[in-house]
Amino acid sequence: MDMLTKEIANVIVRETSLRLNRNVNIMDIRGEIIATRDESRLHTVHEGAVEVLKSGETLTIYPDQGEAWKGSEPGINLPIVFHENIIGVIGVTGDPDDMEDIGELVKMTTELMIDQEFITSQLEWKQRTKEMIIDQLLKRSSSYKTIQQGLDMLKMKLEPPFMVFVIQIDNLAIQKQEFIQKIENLFGNRYVIAGFINLNQLFIAASEIEETEALRKVELLHELFHKKRIKFRIAYSLAFHELHQFYQAYFDCELALKISEPTIEIISFSQIEVRALLYQLDQTLRERFSKRILKRLDETQAITLKAFFANDLNIQKTADALFLHRNTLLYRINNIVNETGYNPKIFNDSLILQVALWLHEQNK
């Protein structure tokens, strides 16, 4: 990879020239000036830079030495080093006696900028590779060869058991790449591939993870998002063992986010799997069943039933949750029995009423 591109050379010249109020030149490995404020010197060979490239040492050119170094002017020229290799030369025009410290500072700044550019470019190509892998994992007919090539480039493996996490985000206050790195660090970089699949949705493919470990990761994610004040919802799949199951696992998470209460931040597909199965029924069948069972149940009665089921059919807990007297709750339940013909205190009847409520919500 050519780290001293014309683009970064121009940035270096612009930033350093403005701060030093001096002309700064950047020369490539042939000694050709590729960036400078003095456009008349652009693409000419700087003989002083050629000497620096040969010797690896800083070259100071005084006013009376100009003819000895064709294409050069008085100043200081220093090698630009990247990963122990000289990749170019930076020259600062002016009185050399005034610039010894300035030259070293400019050299250090230049090398830091190139290092940062390298790190950024590495992160970018790695993330593009991860996004390519994710794209393949989410296809019905994945190219396992393409997936393996991407994993080889990243020096990663995806080993079962697998799980999928889908995070819906409304207000991301930090850069996406920074956010992805935090997520991958939390899971362990070797075991997870994460990437945004649309503007507000992050997909995570986790490998070598058991459900107990997944719960711990979800708790850590929950803490991280609250700490960063990020509004979020997380859905996570069942564990699975085949790469082709990533497509279904993602579909399951999407469905979990869609049919669960919007106020619930963490949704396990295993906890709503029955609702998900019901959701996939024909809509006409869903409507017919829910209307037949619930009849003309009003909103207060529906809230009462939801609370009763949420509290495991316990009268006192439900009354406390709804801030009702126990007798008031029993009165409401009797009205539900009279209205529907089903008694929520009886297991089979409560199951029918719960399914009808789920279908009613899905039909809205």
Side-chain angles (χ1 to χ4, degrees):
M1 180 184 293
D2 182 9
M3 288 311 304
L4 190 58
T5 63
K6 290 182 180 179
E7 289 75 19
I8 193 170
N10 281 318
V11 171
I12 293 167
V13 166
R14 183 176 68 248
E15 296 298 323
T16 53
S17 294
L18 285 173
R19 284 163 175 74
L20 297 176
N21 196 27
R22 299 173 184 272
N23 185 47
V24 174
N25 305 310
I26 300 289
M27 284 70 74
D28 64 15
I29 55 173
R30 298 182 302 276
E32 181 182 326
I33 299 175
I34 59 172
T36 177
R37 279 205 309 181
D38 184 355
E39 293 188 6
S40 66
R41 300 179 67 189
L42 201 59
H43 305 308
T44 61
V45 174
H46 190 296
E47 291 293 345
V50 173
E51 176 60 25
V52 172
L53 291 165
K54 288 179 182 177
S55 67
E57 302 292 334
T58 297
L59 175 67
T60 301
I61 301 177
Y62 289 91
D64 59 354
Q65 296 176 311
E67 292 183 4
W69 308 105
K70 186 179 178 181
S72 307
E73 291 186 0
I76 189 167
N77 300 279
L78 307 97
I80 301 171
V81 179
F82 175 72
H83 289 186
E84 300 182 357
N85 294 311
I86 297 176
I87 61 170
V89 177
I90 184 164
V92 185
T93 304
D95 185 346
D97 292 331
D98 297 336
M99 288 191 300
E100 185 173 350
D101 292 337
I102 291 174
E104 287 300 326
L105 181 60
V106 170
K107 170 183 165 67
M108 181 181 70
T109 304
T110 297
E111 290 173 350
L112 284 172
M113 290 176 70
I114 290 171
D115 280 340
Q116 186 58 50
E117 179 70 15
F118 175 73
I119 292 169
T120 301
S121 66
Q122 289 291 99
L123 288 174
E124 286 176 351
W125 83 255
K126 284 182 179 179
Q127 193 56 43
R128 285 195 298 271
T129 304
K130 290 174 185 177
E131 288 167 2
M132 177 271 291
I133 293 171
I134 290 170
D135 180 64
Q136 287 297 324
L137 290 174
L138 297 185
K139 289 181 176 178
R140 281 184 179 273
S141 300
S142 303
S143 169
Y144 299 114
K145 181 180 178 181
T146 302
I147 292 171
Q148 190 57 54
Q149 287 174 341
L151 291 171
D152 289 343
M153 289 171 66
L154 296 170
K155 296 180 181 179
M156 290 182 67
K157 289 184 178 180
L158 284 179
E159 298 287 350
F162 307 115
M163 289 186 76
V164 163
F165 300 76
V166 176
I167 307 176
Q168 196 77 36
I169 303 162
D170 288 343
N171 60 330
L172 190 59
I174 62 176
Q175 292 290 328
K176 285 187 174 181
Q177 187 57 51
E178 181 185 350
F179 183 68
I180 289 170
Q181 283 184 274
K182 287 182 180 294
I183 298 293
E184 291 180 337
N185 290 340
L186 186 148
F187 275 87
N189 292 321
R190 287 179 50 237
Y191 305 104
V192 66
I193 292 175
F196 279 86
I197 52 179
N198 59 46
L199 188 61
N200 297 310
Q201 197 174 76
L202 182 74
F203 174 88
I204 302 171
S207 69
E208 297 185 56
I209 186 167
E210 302 288 351
E211 290 195 37
T212 51
E213 178 68 7
L215 289 173
R216 196 173 74 83
K217 299 300 186 186
V218 166
E219 289 172 3
L220 292 173
L221 287 171
H222 187 270
E223 291 175 12
L224 172 65
F225 295 157
H226 277 283
K227 185 178 179 181
K228 296 290 183 181
R229 297 183 179 179
I230 296 171
K231 189 176 179 182
F232 70 97
R233 297 180 72 215
I234 304 172
Y236 60 99
S237 73
L238 305 170
F240 55 98
H241 289 77
E242 302 293 336
L243 285 177
H244 69 82
Q245 294 175 295
F246 269 98
Y247 172 84
Q248 182 64 49
Y250 170 68
F251 176 81
D252 291 344
C253 289
E254 277 275 82
L255 192 53
L257 289 168
K258 184 175 182 178
I259 67 177
S260 57
E261 293 287 342
T263 55
I264 299 175
E265 291 179 329
I266 299 172
I267 309 111
S268 164
F269 182 75
S270 64
Q271 296 298 312
I272 65 156
E273 190 171 10
V274 174
R275 291 185 65 181
L277 289 171
L278 295 171
Y279 182 83
Q280 295 173 73
L281 292 173
D282 177 79
Q283 185 173 358
T284 303
L285 292 175
R286 297 203 309 260
E287 290 180 354
R288 186 178 70 181
F289 182 81
S290 63
K291 286 179 179 179
R292 181 177 68 80
I293 300 301
L294 300 179
K295 295 185 172 62
R296 294 178 299 278
L297 216 64
D298 62 28
E299 185 175 352
T300 300
Q301 290 169 323
I303 291 171
T304 302
L305 272 180
K306 287 180 185 178
F308 191 51
F309 296 147
N311 287 280
D312 300 320
L313 313 187
N314 185 294
I315 295 291
Q316 191 57 55
K317 286 183 179 179
T318 305
D320 292 342
L322 293 173
F323 303 102
L324 296 174
H325 190 278
R326 179 186 178 93
N327 290 339
T328 304
L329 176 60
L330 290 171
Y331 175 76
R332 286 191 185 182
I333 289 175
N334 286 334
N335 284 340
I336 291 170
V337 174
N338 293 333
E339 184 66 44
T340 64
Y342 293 93
N343 187 345
K345 291 186 288 184
I346 299 171
F347 174 76
N348 284 339
D349 285 9
S350 68
L351 179 59
I352 291 169
L353 287 166
Q354 176 66 92
V355 170
L357 277 175
W358 284 339
L359 294 176
H360 176 68
E361 291 170 1
Q362 292 166 7
N363 290 330
K364 288 181 180 179

